[in-house]
């Protein structure tokens, strides 16, 4: 590493015997950038200089520059400058790097206003490429300061990412960054100290805000300090690009694109997202369909038209499912699912995806009792499902009858709906409503749609659901039709099956919830039926042991639900212990002495 004294840089000055200063390119708060030429090879370079004088904590700045240089020396990409030399003196520090001839995108927007969306999309794809390259390093490099002033546009249309002063290597074991680094307005929420560790999704957020600025000309660091849908500023912009930018800039990193490759693919096909484009395609299909139908009406029916009409229905069905998945946050998904089911009532995917959306996705911002942040099947949602199983088209035949014709799909959907009723209806379950669907699933045969373990589970849950009509009801001869002893045995069997065969966490938690809930509310009835205190305490110990060992990956789709359910169950283990103790103290008087408990209450 060569030494150079601290001197004022003048035009024509020779640095290190190689680099002749031509002019000053720019100046920041603590650095100056010069254009220089190596006369021996006739090559132009940019020299970034930081002087010790006037710079607070120069040693920290120096270390930052060394880190930046060390990063760039290891990287070689068409959209990144190369570091070629480091010149360090007692009072100054210089980085010699590729000279990028072009203009900062920020200056271009300031002079010419918002840029053409085709150009912005092309720049976005290039930036995805370079970010993907950085993220692919071992360990991944997080840029953290994507903004228009750090992007240079060259004459050939290529963009270059400059200034690596805030980049860092991703440290997997760290929970959060120690300091805030980035540019206000462009920085992601997790870049603010104490809000989590920055990762690849941080760069995706910053890129999304950058694209927003380039398309609208509105700087998010200035009033109104918000990211609006881009068509708020210009209705002629693409709704597809709007959708992409909104996904990039979600506050929760798990709601953004999870990789730059995924983002790049959508940028390549943003027009597929355009509602206008898709509506035009649908209109063309409808017109063609009408032509086919008219032709058929005039006696020209043929295999060709039959196949075309069938393909048309399939295309519209797939389009509706696609739009439904994209429209969840806009609450328009129900009408798309209704259209899909109307076009093809025999395909169970429409019903299943609708139910899945109700249980796992469309639960944000609603009032939910503790333990049911998701996986909540409301009365309104249940009514809509029943509507979809009824008559939605012009024909008088119910959609459920069409679905029944595809037996395997019908049985699989029945299983999913039965579980939703049993465990999740209004947060506490509706066992009576679950019976019909669990019975259908329990009588099914194994298939790709419904495995044997699911059929067995449906049979056991159906048996438990049927108890609720007859539990504790006595014959004239004095014997009960169904005893709490039988009820206990079946509850325990399901919980133990899930525990021993390693059922998925959601199902295991639900079976634990059901058993724990009934131990809290019905401990006295179980005692009277002959279930011992030891048996109940053993089940509580097994649940406690299982829950303590259960590890939940926060990246999984059901993580929020599983974490909250696990916490709720752990909190209520003590309540269950007390209920069991009370049931066996003084003949169970402390438990209220009820002969028939309410079996539909949730865990408190």
């Amino acid at each position: 590493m060569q030494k150079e004294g601290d001197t004022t840089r003048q035009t024509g000055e020779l640095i290190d015997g190689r680099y002749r200063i031509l002019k000053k390119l720019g100046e920041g708060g603590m650095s100056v950038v010069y254009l220089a030429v190596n006369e021996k090879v006739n090559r132009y370079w940019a020299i970034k200089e930081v002087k010790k004088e006037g710079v607070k904590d120069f040693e920290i700045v120096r270390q930052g520059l060394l880190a930046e240089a060390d990063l760039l020396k290891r990287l070689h990409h068409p959209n990144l400058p190369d570091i070629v030399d480091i010149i360090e003196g007692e009072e100054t520090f210089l980085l010699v790097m590729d000279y990028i001839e072009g203009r900062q995108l920020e200056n271009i927007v300031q002079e010419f206003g918002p840029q053409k969306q085709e150009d912005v999309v092309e720049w976005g794809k290039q930036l995805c490429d370079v970010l993907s390259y950085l993220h692919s390093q071992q360990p991944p490099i997080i840029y953290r300061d994507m903004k228009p002033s750090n992007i240079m546009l060259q004459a050939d249309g290529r963009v270059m990412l400059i200034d690596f002063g805030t980049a860092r290597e991703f440290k997997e074991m760290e929970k959060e960054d120690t300091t805030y680094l980035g540019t206000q307005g462009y920085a992601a929420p997790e870049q603010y100290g104490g809000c989590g560790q920055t990762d690849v999704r941080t760069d995706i957020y910053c890129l999304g805000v950058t694209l927003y600025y380039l398309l609208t000309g509105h700087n998010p660091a200035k009033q109104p300090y918000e990211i609006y849908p881009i068509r708020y500023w210009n209705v002629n912009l693409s709704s597809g690009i709007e959708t992409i930018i909104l996904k990039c800039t979600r506050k929760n990193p798990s709601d953004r694109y999870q990789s730059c490759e995924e983002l790049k693919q959508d940028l390549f096909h943003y027009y597929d997202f355009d509602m206008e484009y898709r509506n035009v395609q649908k209109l063309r299909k409808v017109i063609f369909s009408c032509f086919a139908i008219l032709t058929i009406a005039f006696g020209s029916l043929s295999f060709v038209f039959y196949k075309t009409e069938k393909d048309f229905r399939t295309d519209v069905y797939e389009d509706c499912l696609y739009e439904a998945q994209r429209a969840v946050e806009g609450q328009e998904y129900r009408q798309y699912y209704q259209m899909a089911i109307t076009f093809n009532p025999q395909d169970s995917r429409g019903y299943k995806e609708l139910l899945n959306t109700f249980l796992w996705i469309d639960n944000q911002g609603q009032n939910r009792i503790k333990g049911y942040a998701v996986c909540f099947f409301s009365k309104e949602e249940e009514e809509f499902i029943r509507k979809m199983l009824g008559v939605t088209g012009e024909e008088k035949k119910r959609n459920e009858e069409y679905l029944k014709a595809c037996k395997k799909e019908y049985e699989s959907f029945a299983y999913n709906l039965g579980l939703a009723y049993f465990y999740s209806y209004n947060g506490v379950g509706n066992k009576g409503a679950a019976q019909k669907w669990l019975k259908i699933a329990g009588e099914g045969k194994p298939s790709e749609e419904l495995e044997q373990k699911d059929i067995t589970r449906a049979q056991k849950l159906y048996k438990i659901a049927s108890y609720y009509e007859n539990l504790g009801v006595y014959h004239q001869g004095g014997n009960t039709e169904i005893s709490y002893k039988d009820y206990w045995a079946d509850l325990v069997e399901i919980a133990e099956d899930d525990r021993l065969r390693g059922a998925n966490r959601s199902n295991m938690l639900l079976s634990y919830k059901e058993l724990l809930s009934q131990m809290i509310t019905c401990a006295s009835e179980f005692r009277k039926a002959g279930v011992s205190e030891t048996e109940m305490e053993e089940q509580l110990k097994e649940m406690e042991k299982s829950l303590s060992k259960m590890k939940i990956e926060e990246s999984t789709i059901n993580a929020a639900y599983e974490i909250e359910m696990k916490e709720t169950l752990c909190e209520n283990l003590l309540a269950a212990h007390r209920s069991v103790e009370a049931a066996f103290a003084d003949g169970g008087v402390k438990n209220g002495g009820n002969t028939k408990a309410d079996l539909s209450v949730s865990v408190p």
Side-chain angles (χ1 to χ4, degrees):
M1 191 175 291
Q2 302 189 27
K3 306 287 185 180
E4 176 67 19
D6 178 21
T7 58
T8 303
R9 308 301 170 188
Q10 302 292 330
T11 300
E13 179 180 349
L14 191 65
I15 297 175
D16 196 39
R18 287 179 291 174
Y19 307 109
R20 191 173 300 283
I21 299 294
L22 297 179
K23 64 178 179 178
K24 183 169 71 174
L25 294 174
E27 186 171 1
M30 58 184 181
S31 65
V32 181
V33 180
Y34 298 96
L35 174 63
V37 63
N38 186 329
E39 294 178 330
K40 292 181 180 179
V41 296
N42 195 31
R43 176 78 184 269
Y44 292 94
W45 305 100
I47 298 180
K48 181 176 183 178
E49 179 183 42
V50 178
K51 294 181 180 180
K52 184 175 182 179
E53 182 182 356
V55 176
K56 185 179 179 180
D57 299 324
F58 176 76
E59 185 57 30
I60 295 176
V61 173
R62 174 181 168 278
Q63 291 298 325
L65 286 170
L66 283 172
E68 177 181 358
D70 185 59
L71 274 179
L72 284 172
K73 280 195 296 183
R74 293 187 281 123
L75 303 174
H76 300 284
H77 189 277
N79 299 101
L80 293 177
D82 285 334
I83 291 281
V84 296
D85 206 352
I86 300 172
I87 304 171
E88 188 175 7
E90 293 180 0
E91 300 296 326
T92 188
F93 186 95
L94 300 98
L95 291 179
V96 182
M97 64 185 77
D98 283 338
Y99 168 55
I100 309 301
E101 190 170 5
R103 295 192 64 186
Q104 294 172 316
L105 288 182
E106 183 174 43
N107 292 340
I108 292 174
V109 173
Q110 289 174 351
E111 182 174 349
F112 299 105
Q115 299 298 290
K116 295 179 181 178
Q117 67 182 22
E118 292 79 9
D119 292 338
V120 174
V121 168
E122 179 57 35
W123 300 335
K125 288 186 286 189
Q126 293 183 47
L127 292 169
C128 281
D129 275 338
V130 68
L131 288 176
S132 291
Y133 171 73
L134 295 175
H135 298 164
S136 70
Q137 302 302 303
Q138 295 299 326
I141 294 172
I142 313 303
Y143 182 67
R144 301 199 298 178
D145 201 22
M146 177 72 69
K147 57 184 178 181
S149 61
N150 281 348
I151 305 168
M152 297 286 288
L153 176 65
Q154 298 181 286
D156 62 0
R158 183 157 52 111
V159 292
M160 299 290 288
L161 194 57
I162 60 174
D163 196 346
F164 272 66
T166 64
R168 67 183 285 270
E169 292 181 337
F170 178 75
K171 297 176 176 61
E172 189 173 356
M173 301 306 293
E174 290 187 5
K175 292 184 178 179
E176 61 187 42
D177 291 349
T178 55
T179 57
Y180 158 68
L181 287 172
T183 302
Q184 189 168 1
Y186 292 91
E190 62 269 20
Q191 287 183 263
Y192 295 86
C195 294
Q197 185 185 186
T198 52
D199 60 20
V200 298
R201 298 168 298 182
T202 303
D203 284 342
I204 288 171
Y205 181 97
C206 301
L207 176 54
V209 181
T210 298
L211 298 178
Y212 171 87
Y213 174 73
L214 297 175
L215 286 166
T216 67
H218 289 272
N219 189 336
K222 298 180 181 179
Q223 290 185 347
Y225 307 114
E226 290 185 39
I227 304 294
Y228 288 98
I230 58 173
R231 294 192 301 167
Y232 174 87
W233 303 110
N234 181 356
V235 295
N236 295 317
L237 290 173
S238 159
S239 63
I241 299 177
E242 179 177 88
T243 299
I244 291 170
I245 291 176
L246 288 174
K247 185 171 181 178
C248 287
T249 55
R250 297 292 180 206
K251 290 183 178 179
N252 187 343
S254 62
D255 294 334
R256 303 174 200 154
Y257 290 98
Q258 300 301 293
S259 72
C260 286
E261 281 301 317
E262 183 185 356
L263 169 57
K264 181 182 173 183
Q265 285 303 310
D266 277 1
L267 286 173
F268 265 109
H269 303 286
Y270 73 87
Y271 45 82
D272 287 340
F273 289 86
D274 283 345
M275 287 183 286
E276 294 84 3
Y277 173 86
R278 299 188 69 81
N279 287 338
V280 167
Q281 299 305 307
K282 289 175 185 176
L283 180 60
R284 291 173 62 186
K285 291 177 182 177
V286 170
I287 292 172
F288 185 85
S289 177
C290 290
F291 173 77
I293 292 170
L294 286 172
T295 304
I296 292 169
F298 284 104
S300 300
L301 180 61
S302 68
F303 171 77
V304 173
F305 282 119
Y306 168 77
K307 187 176 185 303
T308 301
E309 195 271 341
K310 183 179 179 181
D311 290 344
F312 162 69
R313 282 184 171 273
T314 301
D315 288 347
V316 173
Y317 182 74
E318 296 296 338
D319 280 350
C320 288
L321 291 184
Y322 175 82
E323 292 293 345
Q325 292 168 358
R326 292 183 54 243
V328 170
E329 294 186 5
Q331 295 298 307
E332 299 172 351
Y333 67 92
R334 293 191 186 190
Q335 69 186 53
Y336 284 116
Y337 278 123
Q338 181 168 347
M339 290 169 59
I341 291 169
T342 300
F343 268 94
N344 192 357
Q346 292 179 308
D347 193 321
S348 66
R349 282 182 300 155
Y351 307 94
K352 285 181 180 178
E353 289 183 15
L354 174 62
L355 181 61
N356 184 67
T357 301
F358 283 156
L359 292 176
W360 297 108
I361 301 174
D362 183 21
N363 285 291
Q364 304 302 317
Q366 300 187 31
N367 295 322
R368 298 298 191 219
I369 61 176
K370 183 172 174 58
Y372 300 100
V374 288
C375 199
F376 190 101
F377 190 31
S378 70
K379 183 175 183 294
E380 178 193 6
E381 291 166 341
E382 186 266 345
E383 288 174 350
F384 192 80
I385 287 284
R386 284 196 285 110
K387 177 183 176 183
M388 293 301 96
L389 291 167
V391 178
T392 58
E394 295 182 0
E395 298 185 36
K396 300 302 180 184
K397 191 175 179 180
R398 288 170 52 83
N399 289 335
E400 186 180 347
E401 294 301 313
Y402 287 105
L403 186 57
K404 276 183 182 179
C406 302
K407 196 171 187 300
K408 293 178 181 179
E409 292 195 351
Y410 182 57
E411 291 166 353
S412 175
F413 171 69
Y415 176 72
N416 290 316
L417 185 55
L419 291 184
Y421 272 120
F422 190 95
Y423 289 119
S424 305
Y425 182 72
N426 275 348
V428 296
N430 184 329
K431 274 55 176 186
Q435 286 186 64
K436 169 188 172 180
W437 302 102
L438 292 172
K439 186 173 187 293
I440 294 168
E443 293 174 348
K445 293 183 179 180
S447 65
E448 291 183 5
E449 297 280 338
L450 191 68
E451 298 180 27
Q452 181 58 54
K453 62 183 177 65
D454 299 324
I455 294 172
T456 302
R457 186 182 185 87
Q459 292 167 348
K460 292 176 180 178
L461 292 178
Y462 171 73
K463 185 178 178 183
I464 291 175
S466 66
Y467 287 171
Y468 282 73
E469 296 178 358
N470 302 308
L471 193 57
V473 176
Y474 286 83
H475 283 302
Q476 290 181 351
N479 296 323
T480 57
E481 290 186 4
I482 300 293
S483 76
Y484 277 89
K485 181 79 170 178
D486 297 329
Y487 179 45
W488 167 263
D490 286 319
L491 286 172
V492 168
E493 185 180 3
I494 288 180
E496 289 184 342
D497 279 355
D498 285 348
R499 186 162 56 238
L500 294 174
R501 65 181 174 84
N504 71 68
R505 285 188 302 269
S506 294
N507 281 346
M508 189 181 299
L509 289 167
L510 287 170
S511 63
Y512 284 178
K513 172 215 161 194
E514 190 69 20
L515 178 56
L516 192 59
S517 172
Q518 301 315 321
M519 290 178 75
I520 291 173
T521 60
C522 302
S524 289
E525 302 302 331
F526 292 141
R527 179 193 63 81
K528 292 175 186 176
V531 181
S532 70
E533 184 175 9
T534 301
E535 289 178 275
M536 294 191 211
E537 288 293 343
E538 283 179 353
Q539 286 303 316
L540 289 173
K541 288 178 183 177
E542 287 296 332
M543 269 193 278
E544 190 171 4
K545 188 189 303 182
S546 177
L547 289 170
S548 67
K549 292 181 179 179
M550 185 179 291
K551 295 182 180 179
I552 300 172
E553 298 291 336
E554 294 188 6
S555 60
T556 58
I557 187 171
N558 300 339
Y561 162 74
E562 291 172 356
I563 291 170
E564 188 169 351
M565 178 67 85
K566 178 182 174 181
E567 290 174 353
T568 302
L569 293 177
C570 289
E571 290 171 6
N572 284 282
L573 281 168
L574 180 59
H577 279 296
R578 289 173 177 170
S579 180
V580 171
E581 289 175 4
F584 285 88
D586 300 325
V589 174
K590 293 181 182 179
N591 200 41
N594 296 328
T595 58
K596 187 173 183 178
D598 177 6
L599 300 176
S600 298
V601 298
S602 65
V603 177

